Amino acid sequence: MASSLTKAPAGPAGGEKTFLGHPRGLAYLFMTEMWERYSFYGMRALLVLYLATNVADGGLGMKDATAVAIYSVYNAMVYLLALPGGWLGDRVWGARKSVAIAGAVIMTGHFLLAVPAEFSFFIGLAFIAAGSGVLKANISTMVGQLYPDKNDPRRDGGFTIFYMGINLGAFLAPLSIGAVGQKVNWHLGFAMAGVGMAIGLVCFYFGYRHLSPESSKIPNPLPADERSSLVKKGLIWLGVAAAGYAVVGLAGAFSIDWVLWPLTILGLVLPAWYLFRIKRDKELSPLEQTRMSGYIWFFVAAAVFWGIYDQTGSVLSLFAKDNTESTLFGFDFPESWFQSLNPLFVMALAPLFAILWVALFKRNKEPSTLTKFSGALVLVGVSFGVMMVAQGMSAGDAKVSPMWLVSVYFIQTVGELCLSPVGLSLTTKLAPQKYAAQMMGVWFLAVTAGDSVIALLQLIGAPTDTQGWFASQGAVAALAGVAIFMYRRKVKAMMGGVH
């Protein structure tokens, strides 16, 4: 890290050390996020494989459907909890304290996973989901606070460097944690994820004095009486839930479904309720109401996309284990290594896409937001069309070449680059002024909704190891993309002049 520190050019802050020309605090936030993502994606690369592996081989021996449902609900809760995570940063702890607490919770969760006990494992999973939601909502805010001037030309570049840290951590994690977890010991792999988060926390603490003073402030402090009321309500609901589960447990009827079903329903109902509440707010202007109607189209499209895309760590991981050769050019590798393909493709393709959009814009040929969304949905649909063919070729004991999965990950990454950055930008543009900050959390709820649909399909018994699974979802995504393209003029009119 030190080798990247240089003297800033002469100016108002002349002589101040910087990180690649940016505020020095960016280096520490970069390292914190990289190691947090290392722990997150390393554990996630092992999660479904560990759940579905036979007990004799060290796993939990669950059915594939249950493993996929747990993975989907876990992922849904990470993004759902980003909303209360942002609220804690804004009203209770401030961004800096929120990240410190969240990091400690995540680290504890990973070490609980390292304990060879099923009860400890699921408590650890809950810790990681809660901590990740809080950290995700606040660390990006801290990056923005490094640039007090909203028009600072370094601002976009700073976020680009920061997001490269995300993908670097996500790329390295499966290669190391995945290999150790699968080839040596599952729980040692989970412990490595805990060590990764611990390193991230050390980086964060060392960087305290280089962070913006704003990160320690609470933007909108919660009054004492309101805090007391919320604590009481929270304890009441916690008591009701504990009593309910105690009754189920004493009756001998408790199973994992008693956790999965409520969380899945919450992941479907809460995003719908939140969108409906904003849309029906009478304080919004007619223009803001119209824009929210247009935004709902994009939200549903994003939910369809993420529901398919996030199966890379669940359904596609199981396909890699059961139906794919784990040898390429004579080299054997663990199935978890496939999880490194997406961040690798993102790092390789993102700069090219940025150049492409600028070049097309200068020629007045850049695709519209609607066209990009439409293309992303068609691409993710095509990726599952490829999976349908691969599933058919792997019938019986036959296994397909790993290049089938490589091509699927590549197609999905191209789709992601058409949808994800555009969706974030569009959310800020269409957001009603009253909900400007909250709308970023609403965007993350699209991931929650998509993953919850996949969990629901597993809970009702839909098999994932069939051509029908891939064909049906691929067709839905592709048709949704075509529908958005066909109705683009109608949706564009709802956007109220936003491009």
Side-chain angles (χ1 to χ4, degrees):
M1 185 186 300
S3 62
S4 296
L5 297 175
T6 58
K7 291 289 185 179
E16 179 187 345
K17 288 185 178 181
T18 65
F19 171 67
L20 302 176
H22 291 266
R24 192 173 181 180
L26 182 63
Y28 296 95
L29 293 178
F30 172 94
M31 295 297 290
T32 302
E33 180 71 352
M34 185 190 77
W35 283 108
E36 187 274 329
R37 290 290 90 181
Y38 175 86
S39 71
F40 180 85
Y41 284 104
M43 184 281 290
R44 208 174 77 158
L46 293 176
L47 181 55
V48 165
L49 297 173
Y50 171 70
L51 293 172
T53 295
N54 294 328
V55 175
D57 296 321
L60 293 185
M62 293 184 174
K63 295 179 181 178
D64 286 359
T66 304
V68 172
I70 290 172
Y71 171 93
S72 299
V73 167
Y74 161 75
N75 213 47
M77 291 303 104
V78 168
Y79 288 92
L80 178 64
L81 291 168
L83 268 179
W87 181 85
L88 285 170
D90 287 341
R91 307 211 62 189
V92 181
W93 292 328
R96 186 183 300 192
K97 189 174 181 180
S98 295
V99 169
I101 292 173
V105 171
I106 293 169
M107 179 184 67
T108 302
H110 284 300
F111 285 129
L112 285 171
L113 262 60
V115 177
E118 188 170 335
F119 182 73
S120 171
F121 180 86
F122 286 107
I123 293 176
L125 213 56
F127 270 49
I128 297 168
S132 297
V134 175
L135 190 144
K136 177 181 286 293
N138 288 283
I139 194 165
S140 295
T141 299
M142 294 179 67
V143 175
Q145 289 170 341
L146 294 173
Y147 306 91
D149 181 0
K150 304 297 183 184
N151 296 316
D152 190 326
R154 303 174 299 168
R155 190 180 181 91
D156 287 351
F159 273 100
T160 300
I161 293 171
F162 178 73
Y163 287 125
M164 287 301 288
I166 293 175
N167 286 289
L168 183 59
F171 169 70
L172 295 173
L175 299 179
S176 52
I177 294 175
V180 171
Q182 282 193 267
K183 299 298 184 182
V184 182
N185 181 276
W186 294 106
H187 298 286
L188 182 58
F190 293 132
M192 283 181 64
V195 171
M197 187 66 252
I199 295 173
L201 276 172
V202 170
C203 294
F204 186 67
Y205 290 135
F206 271 111
Y208 253 34
R209 64 192 180 93
H210 301 292
L211 302 175
S212 169
E214 288 295 316
S215 66
S216 295
K217 297 178 181 177
I218 303 172
N220 183 21
L222 192 66
D225 56 339
E226 191 176 342
R227 179 181 299 203
S228 176
S229 174
L230 285 171
V231 170
K232 288 179 181 177
K233 289 178 181 177
L235 289 174
I236 289 172
W237 281 108
L238 183 63
V240 169
Y245 279 110
V247 170
V248 173
L250 291 172
F254 183 81
S255 71
I256 191 66
D257 284 355
W258 280 92
V259 177
L260 295 178
W261 272 105
L263 292 179
T264 298
I265 293 170
L266 181 67
L268 292 169
V269 171
L270 189 61
W273 172 81
Y274 212 82
L275 278 174
F276 181 78
R277 186 175 73 87
I278 295 175
K279 177 72 175 65
R280 299 289 293 177
D281 191 333
K282 294 180 179 179
E283 293 184 12
L284 300 188
S285 68
L287 178 59
E288 289 176 327
Q289 290 276 3
T290 301
R291 285 178 173 172
M292 279 304 300
S293 297
Y295 184 77
I296 289 172
W297 278 72
F298 293 102
F299 183 91
V300 173
V304 172
F305 180 90
W306 294 120
I308 293 176
Y309 180 90
D310 275 345
Q311 292 178 57
T312 52
S314 56
V315 174
L316 298 196
S317 280
L318 293 174
F319 182 87
K321 178 174 75 78
D322 299 329
N323 304 88
T324 307
E325 294 284 354
S326 56
T327 302
L328 189 63
F329 305 123
F331 176 73
D332 292 328
F333 58 91
E335 296 84 3
S336 54
W337 280 20
F338 282 107
Q339 300 301 302
S340 287
L341 288 172
N342 170 253
L344 175 64
F345 288 144
V346 168
M347 289 188 289
L349 296 177
L352 299 180
F353 268 74
I355 294 170
L356 175 64
W357 297 142
V358 171
L360 291 174
F361 175 78
K362 290 180 178 178
R363 293 171 174 79
N364 200 30
K365 293 182 178 180
E366 183 183 4
S368 67
T369 298
L370 285 159
T371 302
K372 290 176 182 176
F373 257 75
S374 175
L377 284 167
V378 170
L379 283 168
V380 83
V382 168
S383 76
F384 262 35
V386 174
M387 281 303 304
M388 178 191 69
V389 176
Q391 181 71 55
M393 293 179 64
S394 62
D397 295 328
K399 290 194 173 186
V400 299
S401 164
M403 295 309 295
W404 283 92
L405 282 178
V406 171
S407 65
V408 169
Y409 278 86
F410 179 83
I411 294 169
Q412 291 191 354
T413 301
V414 174
E416 178 193 2
L417 292 172
C418 290
L419 181 138
S420 185
V422 175
L424 288 168
S425 175
L426 188 70
T427 298
T428 62
K429 293 176 181 177
L430 293 179
Q433 185 175 358
K434 181 179 177 180
Y435 297 98
Q438 296 180 50
M439 284 298 287
M440 291 309 298
V442 172
W443 171 252
F444 289 132
L445 288 181
V447 183
T448 297
D451 284 336
S452 295
V453 169
I454 301 305
L456 180 64
L457 291 173
Q458 292 306 288
L459 291 173
I460 63 177
T464 60
D465 57 349
T466 65
Q467 287 183 292
W469 174 267
F470 297 111
S472 58
Q473 293 181 58
V476 168
L479 288 173
V482 171
I484 286 180
F485 186 78
M486 288 178 63
Y487 287 94
R488 64 189 184 281
R489 288 187 176 88
K490 181 179 179 180
V491 179
K492 186 177 181 179
M494 296 180 187
M495 294 167 66
V498 170
H499 299 291

